[in-house]
Amino acid sequence: MSIVGKKFPNLSVNAMNDLGDTFKVNVLEEAQKNNKKVLLFWYPKDFTFVCPTELHAFQAALEEFEKRNVMVIGASCDTPEVHFAWLNTPKDDGGIEGVTYPILADSNRNLSSRLGILDITGESYDEETGDVTLEGDNVTYRATYLIDEEGTVFHEGVNHMPLGRNVQEFIRLIDAYTHVQKNGEVCPANWEEGKDAMKADRKGVSDYLSLN
């Protein structure tokens, strides 16, 4: 179920950073207390294939996010210890050495299950034992959440496992939402920073379409 327009879940999760520190992160509090936007991206597993390309791509764009007062947070269901091992594996060996933003370790799946982003394709129930067996890897899809300074989700998206994300699209979405916040205008299709936005009324759309 979509949480766009709603507050992000108020839940603290273990996290790891490149220094080897394990600490708690509450995404909602990070946004509200620091008056920042947050980009939270989930990926399936450490030490896999598409995943390190995404973590390095977000790191390469980190300065652009920071200029926009946006905190970047990665997340998977791996443990903090596995995150730290991956953070210490060189890029040339498939690792994410050089990544500096925090990575959530939702190993108990409390947050990812609440968000409904786990790869569970089905389940079966054994009437004799009462056991439930899950089908699927029970890891997260490539889900992305953009959260504003009040903790409200203004974008969510989910990719299947083989499909890597376009980091620049999230920068565009952040720019668009910031424009809406500052100017009270809405952003039409394919809007980018510097292009015309429009008033959210009949005249506004008529004026925009007549010029575009």
Side-chain angles (χ1 to χ4, degrees), residues 121-142:
T121 56
E123 60 181 51
S124 58
Y125 176 70
D126 188 320
E127 293 184 359
E128 292 185 5
T129 63
D131 294 331
V132 176
T133 301
L134 298 178
E135 299 171 11
D137 287 341
N138 200 26
V139 297
T140 66
Y141 293 107
R142 299 186 191 283

Side-chain angles (χ1 to χ4, degrees), residues 6-24:
K6 302 174 183 175
K7 290 289 192 283
F8 193 81
N10 184 9
L11 190 66
S12 295
V13 181
N14 282 334
M16 172 60 69
N17 63 19
D18 59 322
L19 301 177
D21 300 320
T22 301
F23 51 97
K24 293 286 188 181

Side-chain angles (χ1 to χ4, degrees), residues 77 109 112-113 118-121 134-140 161:
C77 296
R109 291 161 172 75
S112 51
S113 61
L118 290 167
D119 173 25
I120 300 173
T121 56
L134 298 178
E135 299 171 11
D137 287 341
N138 200 26
V139 297
T140 66
M161 308 300 187

Side-chain angles (χ1 to χ4, degrees), residues 1 3 8-9 40 42 110-118 145 156:
M1 184 170 59
I3 60 170
F8 193 81
L40 171 66
W42 296 81
N110 283 342
L111 181 54
S112 51
S113 61
R114 189 178 298 187
L115 294 171
I117 57 174
L118 290 167
Y145 296 88
E156 65 179 338

